[in-house]
Amino acid sequence: MSTATTIRTGATIAAALYTVILILLGLYPSQFRYLFAYIPAAVGYGVIVFDKWAWRWPVIHRFTGRPWVAGTWRVMLSPSPASRIPEGGDRGPIITYMTVEQTFWSLYATLRTKESTSRSSNATIDSPENSGIAEIGFLYDNTPRAEHQHRSPRHEGACRISVAGLNPRTATGHYYTSRFTAGDMDFTLLNRSTDYGTFAEVQAADPEHTTS
């Protein structure tokens, strides 16, 4: 279970149990003198609201200092000339799309190409105090479509992305894989949706692709 899931689950259970106990004791919130007894429950629910939504509300966002990167990004991959790309492989530049799901305490990324899907197994955001630059890092597992696995087997990799500001629209990064390939990444935010399920679906929503 991830840290974010543990925090949300713990807060939900604690707040719910505390509320039930107060009601069983006859301490109803409709009675003003008992309102303060519900403060711990309100804090528990507040933790959930903060993690999922409130941390990026305009005023609060300035204090949290964490960049909001959730959404779908167009990513241009530029493999290094030294990469060991198998015969028949794409030497780039390669258009891909990354969908990022984010709460204050969690981050999950899915990168899709025409041939494969990569899913993050561990993701972090490092936002140094008093710095407008944040570093996003994650490990990932890549699973190619069956038709390509004869030359492009499953593999693992790592990615490091640099973003500037609280609401970045562009970013740059680097990737490395266990197949001895590496390269640069250039990101452009398409939209805040995370509902795309396939490469073709997100490509159809890319204005640059549909107008080209």
Side-chain angles (χ1 to χ4, degrees):
M1 184 180 291
S2 68
T3 301
T5 301
T6 301
I7 292 173
R8 287 196 297 267
T9 301
T12 301
I13 293 174
L17 286 176
Y18 189 81
T19 300
V20 169
I21 291 172
L22 290 178
I23 292 175
L24 290 176
L25 292 174
L27 307 179
Y28 299 104
S30 57
Q31 301 176 53
F32 180 77
R33 65 180 181 277
Y34 296 139
L35 280 179
F36 289 104
Y38 282 83
I39 290 178
V43 171
Y45 292 120
V47 168
I48 300 169
V49 172
F50 174 81
D51 181 45
K52 294 183 70 66
W53 302 288
W55 70 272
R56 54 182 169 83
W57 293 347
V59 175
I60 299 176
H61 200 183
R62 292 182 177 274
F63 288 97
T64 62
R66 176 154 299 185
W68 183 24
V69 296
T72 297
W73 300 72
R74 181 196 306 117
V75 188
M76 181 70 75
L77 300 183
S78 301
S80 163
S83 294
R84 299 183 184 180
I85 299 174
E87 185 176 350
D90 193 342
R91 297 183 177 276
I94 307 167
I95 294 291
T96 68
Y97 297 97
M98 179 179 288
T99 297
V100 180
E101 300 171 71
Q102 180 186 18
T103 70
F104 184 76
W105 284 296
S106 68
L107 191 72
Y108 183 77
T110 302
L111 180 72
R112 297 181 175 90
T113 74
K114 290 181 179 179
E115 298 186 356
S116 67
T117 300
S118 298
R119 303 185 189 281
S120 65
S121 55
N122 182 36
T124 60
I125 297 183
D126 182 18
S127 303
E129 189 174 357
N130 300 321
S131 172
I133 304 297
E135 295 290 329
I136 301 171
F138 60 83
L139 305 178
Y140 66 84
D141 299 304
N142 177 275
T143 305
R145 292 172 61 89
E147 61 189 293
H148 301 295
Q149 289 190 13
H150 66 284
R151 62 168 174 78
S152 179
R154 295 181 63 176
H155 63 275
E156 297 77 39
C159 178
R160 193 76 178 173
I161 306 166
S162 178
V163 299
L166 295 177
N167 294 282
R169 314 291 296 187
T170 60
T172 59
H174 308 278
Y175 70 91
Y176 312 88
T177 80
S178 59
R179 299 188 304 176
F180 302 103
T181 60
D184 297 316
M185 311 172 78
D186 292 291
F187 295 76
T188 302
L189 181 65
L190 292 182
N191 55 57
R192 293 295 183 182
S193 175
T194 59
D195 295 333
Y196 301 108
T198 66
F199 175 87
E201 186 178 10
V202 65
Q203 188 179 57
D206 181 359
E208 185 169 294
H209 174 76
T210 55
T211 58
S212 61

